[in-house]
Amino acid sequence: MPRRRPLPVFLRLRSDPESDAARERDRRSVAEYLRLETTGGMLLLAAAALALVLVNSPLGDAYEDVREHHLAVPFLGLDLSVGHWASDGLLAVFFFVAGTELKRELTVGELRRPAAAVLPIVAAVGGMVVPAVVYTVFATAGGGRLDGWAVPMATDIAFALGVLAVVGRNLPSALRTFLLTLAIVDDLIAITVIAVFFSSALDMAALGGAVAGLALFWLLHARLRVRGWYVYVPLALAIWTLMYHSGVHATIAGVAMGLLLRAKPDPGEDDAPAERVGHLLHPLSAGLAVPVFALFAAGVHVSGGTLSELVRQPESLGVLCGLFLGKTVGVFGAAWLTERFTGARLSPDIGWLDVLGGAMLAGVGFTVSLLVTELAFADAGMLQAEVKMGVLLGSVVSALGAALILTARGRRYQRLDDGQATS
């Protein structure tokens, strides 16, 4: 019997079952890699570093041209720059995934039981109030603008948990739960702040249309149990467009739809839609939406003059100190006072030095802080760049300080484990 000749490569790529299976395995491997917290943090950091390199290189003018280049969708009334498409459009995917996480935590997670979550919830509130106060003090004392009070309030979940995953391998899992709960509450408050304080003049007709679209989304999904991405993707785009035209920041549409997904599975469902869809879109959020936003948001000119001006400007100095000092004092102080004067108790698996490291890690503002900076200082380009530099430096200093503390704590836990293993 003659030996069968292998198919040509171009035919094998199209029809060979083994090749199809291999490509599917590769696709799943890439998706799983993007779901890792360390991956999201590294991509975010790499994109921000690339932005800083590009804008401060001979390619700086080309970078600015790309960021300011407008892409229009006339029949939807949209004409946005590439930078705005990233912050208003792509970042809506990030907020959608955050919305699914919020829904799961509120329905079946830690936030379902307020008694168990009271400590990180109060810590999150303290970690947002104190940085806002620190910024306000600096801005008032230095005669600066108060518009940026909300910039140092936010914690970047992807970056913070990415750092924790790298340096906290030997730390108790209770610390991650504490930080995750804190970051989720932080996100919820930050989203509310954006919706209430950073919305332009409202177009009530467009806002009413967006609300009607969300109601239809809920009816189709939660009541009628309609399935099919071809129904929800066009509806989601319509809701996002109406939300953008309403004057409310368009990313609110993303978190609203995420919160509307069911977090409990129906009989016969392996996973609830909130978990399934969030899991599906997480690689898109971590691998594309957030890094592209960082690429266009973190591009600020850095020079000796810029750095010296940063410490003179009350706005940028207030943001830097708000993220590093305000977050640390706010989170740690609120948690300690809550345990001291109420019946709430810290998990017995972690100590107060662990909480101190986690509080410092909460000072990594990055994604949402950069977004709020663009909203708060939209009319002041130079000041916006200086405040963004304050966000970057505050986040880096917070991450480094937390890494030192948590690495030392991880080594201590490792020694304790090794001692128990040998005894």
Side-chain angles (χ1 to χ4, degrees), residues 332-407:
F332 184 86
W336 186 84
L337 289 172
T338 301
E339 186 182 75
R340 177 73 175 78
F341 295 106
T342 72
R345 290 292 175 263
L346 193 67
S347 169
D349 294 333
I350 59 176
W352 284 107
L353 280 177
D354 301 323
V355 176
L356 179 63
M360 200 170 290
L361 194 54
V364 180
F366 219 86
T367 305
V368 180
S369 291
L370 290 175
L371 175 61
V372 175
T373 300
E374 292 188 347
L375 298 174
F377 301 103
D379 60 338
M382 184 61 68
L383 182 57
Q384 184 186 110
E386 291 166 356
V387 173
K388 283 185 176 181
M389 182 56 64
V391 170
L392 296 176
L393 287 179
S395 297
V396 169
V397 172
S398 297
L400 291 176
L404 289 174
I405 293 174
L406 295 177
T407 299

Side-chain angles (χ1 to χ4, degrees), residues 73-98:
V73 185
F75 73 95
L76 293 178
L78 298 172
D79 186 8
L80 284 71
S81 68
V82 171
H84 281 126
W85 276 113
S87 63
D88 289 15
L90 279 178
L91 209 58
V93 178
F94 164 78
F95 277 97
F96 178 86
V97 174

